[in-house]
mmCIF file of all heavy atoms in Angstrom:
data_model
loop_
_atom_site.group_PDB
_atom_site.id
_atom_site.type_symbol
_atom_site.label_atom_id
_atom_site.label_comp_id
_atom_site.label_asym_id
_atom_site.label_seq_id
_atom_site.Cartn_x
_atom_site.Cartn_y
_atom_site.Cartn_z
ATOM 1 N N ALA L 40 10.889 1.114 11.363
ATOM 2 C CA ALA L 40 10.906 2.329 12.172
ATOM 3 C C ALA L 40 11.216 3.562 11.326
ATOM 4 O O ALA L 40 10.732 4.657 11.618
ATOM 5 C CB ALA L 40 11.932 2.188 13.289
ATOM 6 N N LEU L 41 12.009 3.388 10.276
ATOM 7 C CA LEU L 41 12.425 4.533 9.459
ATOM 8 C C LEU L 41 11.546 4.735 8.223
ATOM 9 O O LEU L 41 11.829 5.606 7.406
ATOM 10 C CB LEU L 41 13.890 4.360 9.036
ATOM 11 C CG LEU L 41 14.897 4.273 10.196
ATOM 12 C CD1 LEU L 41 16.286 3.941 9.672
ATOM 13 C CD2 LEU L 41 14.901 5.550 11.008
ATOM 14 N N ALA L 42 10.498 3.957 8.081
ATOM 15 C CA ALA L 42 9.616 4.086 6.913
ATOM 16 C C ALA L 42 8.888 5.418 6.954
ATOM 17 O O ALA L 42 8.559 5.940 8.020
ATOM 18 C CB ALA L 42 8.610 2.938 6.890
ATOM 19 N N ASP L 43 8.666 5.987 5.760
ATOM 20 C CA ASP L 43 7.904 7.235 5.685
ATOM 21 C C ASP L 43 6.901 7.163 4.533
ATOM 22 O O ASP L 43 6.773 6.142 3.865
ATOM 23 C CB ASP L 43 8.829 8.454 5.541
ATOM 24 C CG ASP L 43 9.688 8.409 4.297
ATOM 25 O OD1 ASP L 43 9.344 7.659 3.350
ATOM 26 O OD2 ASP L 43 10.695 9.128 4.247
ATOM 27 N N SER L 44 6.199 8.247 4.295
ATOM 28 C CA SER L 44 5.133 8.250 3.286
ATOM 29 C C SER L 44 5.655 8.027 1.871
ATOM 30 O O SER L 44 4.920 7.558 1.011
ATOM 31 C CB SER L 44 4.343 9.554 3.356
ATOM 32 O OG SER L 44 5.200 10.649 3.090
ATOM 33 N N SER L 45 6.916 8.331 1.613
ATOM 34 C CA SER L 45 7.454 8.100 0.260
ATOM 35 C C SER L 45 7.511 6.604 -0.049
ATOM 36 O O SER L 45 7.450 6.201 -1.212
ATOM 37 C CB SER L 45 8.833 8.737 0.099
ATOM 38 O OG SER L 45 9.785 8.061 0.906
ATOM 39 N N ASP L 46 7.627 5.777 0.990
ATOM 40 C CA ASP L 46 7.612 4.328 0.774
ATOM 41 C C ASP L 46 6.264 3.876 0.235
ATOM 42 O O ASP L 46 6.191 2.995 -0.624
ATOM 43 C CB ASP L 46 7.939 3.582 2.071
ATOM 44 C CG ASP L 46 9.366 3.830 2.534
ATOM 45 O OD1 ASP L 46 10.259 3.952 1.672
ATOM 46 O OD2 ASP L 46 9.581 3.901 3.755
ATOM 47 N N VAL L 47 5.187 4.481 0.732
ATOM 48 C CA VAL L 47 3.846 4.166 0.241
ATOM 49 C C VAL L 47 3.721 4.599 -1.224
ATOM 50 O O VAL L 47 3.162 3.886 -2.050
ATOM 51 C CB VAL L 47 2.762 4.834 1.111
ATOM 52 C CG1 VAL L 47 1.380 4.638 0.511
ATOM 53 C CG2 VAL L 47 2.814 4.302 2.528
ATOM 54 N N THR L 48 4.268 5.749 -1.547
ATOM 55 C CA THR L 48 4.239 6.241 -2.926
ATOM 56 C C THR L 48 4.976 5.279 -3.852
ATOM 57 O O THR L 48 4.513 4.999 -4.960
ATOM 58 C CB THR L 48 4.879 7.649 -3.014
ATOM 59 O OG1 THR L 48 4.199 8.502 -2.101
ATOM 60 C CG2 THR L 48 4.785 8.209 -4.413
ATOM 61 N N ASP L 49 6.108 4.759 -3.402
ATOM 62 C CA ASP L 49 6.858 3.785 -4.206
ATOM 63 C C ASP L 49 6.013 2.542 -4.483
ATOM 64 O O ASP L 49 5.993 2.020 -5.598
ATOM 65 C CB ASP L 49 8.147 3.371 -3.496
ATOM 66 C CG ASP L 49 9.181 4.484 -3.430
ATOM 67 O OD1 ASP L 49 9.058 5.462 -4.211
ATOM 68 O OD2 ASP L 49 10.106 4.373 -2.603
ATOM 69 N N VAL L 50 5.310 2.075 -3.468
ATOM 70 C CA VAL L 50 4.457 0.895 -3.627
ATOM 71 C C VAL L 50 3.315 1.200 -4.595
ATOM 72 O O VAL L 50 3.012 0.401 -5.495
ATOM 73 C CB VAL L 50 3.906 0.419 -2.262
ATOM 74 C CG1 VAL L 50 2.840 -0.653 -2.448
ATOM 75 C CG2 VAL L 50 5.033 -0.086 -1.382
ATOM 76 N N GLU L 51 2.676 2.345 -4.443
ATOM 77 C CA GLU L 51 1.579 2.720 -5.341
ATOM 78 C C GLU L 51 2.064 2.839 -6.782
ATOM 79 O O GLU L 51 1.395 2.378 -7.712
ATOM 80 C CB GLU L 51 0.948 4.038 -4.879
ATOM 81 C CG GLU L 51 0.136 3.892 -3.614
ATOM 82 C CD GLU L 51 -0.332 5.227 -3.053
ATOM 83 O OE1 GLU L 51 0.208 6.286 -3.444
ATOM 84 O OE2 GLU L 51 -1.252 5.198 -2.211
ATOM 85 N N ASN L 52 3.235 3.424 -6.994
ATOM 86 C CA ASN L 52 3.799 3.540 -8.345
ATOM 87 C C ASN L 52 4.104 2.169 -8.937
ATOM 88 O O ASN L 52 3.861 1.924 -10.117
ATOM 89 C CB ASN L 52 5.057 4.415 -8.339
ATOM 90 C CG ASN L 52 4.743 5.869 -8.072
ATOM 91 O OD1 ASN L 52 3.616 6.324 -8.294
ATOM 92 N ND2 ASN L 52 5.731 6.602 -7.590
#
Side-chain angles (χ1 to χ4, degrees):
L41 300 173
D43 60 20
S44 61
S45 68
D46 294 324
V47 174
T48 304
D49 291 342
V50 170
E51 288 172 344
N52 290 337

